[in-house]
Amino acid sequence: MNSILTIKDPKPLTSNPTEAETTVRDVVLSERLGYSKPADIRKLIKRHASALEAMGSLRQSGVMIEAGKGAKRQVTEYSLSRAQAAFIISKARTPEATNLSIVIAELFAMHSESKLAPVDCAAAAELDAIAARAKARAEVHALGPEGWAIVRSFKRSSRKRRKIGALPRR
C-alpha cells in the first residue's frame, strides 16, 4: 500500500522513528484521499474508532494549530497503522479512496486465490494471527450485542489485556 500511496508524490507516507511499525498521519492520508480539510478525515476516524481499535492501538496526540487570525488551539492528530489506514480508505468516499479500495480488493482477491504467498516464516505467522483474530471477531459478532458488550467491558477493565477482538476469559 505504501507504494500505491506514493504514486503521485515520491515522499514516503511517514514513519515515526520512535514507533516499531510504520504509521500514517491523518493529515497525510487526508491529503492523499483528496479531502480539503484534515478535520473531515478526523471525523471519519472518530466515527470508526472502535473498529480501528480492534486492529491495534489508535495512536493520537495533541497538536497546536493556528486558526483564523492567529488564534491557536489544540486538535487531536491520529497516526494510523497500515491496516487502520486501509480500513479508513475503504470508508472514505472520494475518487482517490475508491481507486485505492479497488487496488486493495484486487490484492485481497489474489491472496484468497493463493496467488500471493508469504515471503518468510514471520510473514506466514502474521497471516495466521490475522486469521485467528478474524475468527475471534466473527465469534463475538455471532453473540450479538451481548458479545460486543463483553468486549467493550473487557477493553475498559484494568486486567492485563489480550489482543482486541479476542474473547475475554470466563
Side-chain angles (χ1 to χ4, degrees):
M1 187 167 78
N2 193 17
S3 62
I4 294 166
L5 289 175
T6 57
I7 289 173
K8 292 181 186 175
D9 187 354
K11 296 182 292 188
L13 278 173
T14 186
S15 179
N16 187 342
T18 61
E19 295 182 15
E21 74 176 309
T22 301
T23 59
V24 180
R25 290 180 50 225
D26 62 358
V27 292
V28 175
L29 186 60
S30 175
E31 177 186 314
R32 302 285 170 89
L33 294 180
Y35 282 104
S36 58
K37 298 183 291 185
D40 293 339
I41 200 161
R42 290 178 180 146
K43 291 176 191 173
L44 188 63
I45 291 169
K46 287 177 189 174
R47 189 174 332 132
H48 296 287
S50 61
L52 294 170
E53 288 173 344
M55 292 176 250
S57 176
L58 185 55
R59 296 168 192 88
Q60 49 189 299
S61 60
V63 178
M64 295 300 288
I65 63 164
E66 195 169 311
K69 299 177 180 177
K72 293 186 178 187
R73 67 182 179 107
Q74 187 171 2
V75 297
T76 301
E77 183 177 276
Y78 296 92
S79 293
L80 306 173
S81 69
R82 290 179 183 193
Q84 291 167 330
F87 182 84
I88 291 297
I89 288 167
S90 73
K91 298 297 181 182
R93 293 184 176 179
T94 65
E96 294 87 345
T98 300
N99 184 38
L100 287 171
S101 294
I102 291 168
V103 172
I104 292 168
E106 289 172 341
L107 289 170
F108 172 76
M110 289 178 66
H111 170 70
S112 61
E113 294 167 0
S114 299
K115 293 180 180 177
L116 295 178
V119 294
D120 57 19
C121 293
E126 192 171 338
L127 287 175
D128 290 342
I130 290 168
R133 288 192 302 271
K135 182 180 177 187
R137 284 191 300 272
E139 290 170 359
V140 169
H141 185 69
L143 293 174
E146 181 182 312
W148 287 110
I150 292 170
V151 171
R152 279 193 293 276
S153 67
F154 178 70
K155 287 195 313 190
R156 291 186 198 119
S157 75
S158 60
R159 292 179 285 165
K160 184 177 178 183
R161 293 183 181 187
R162 296 186 317 163
K163 294 213 183 280
I164 301 298
L167 289 172
R169 294 187 184 122
R170 293 182 187 223

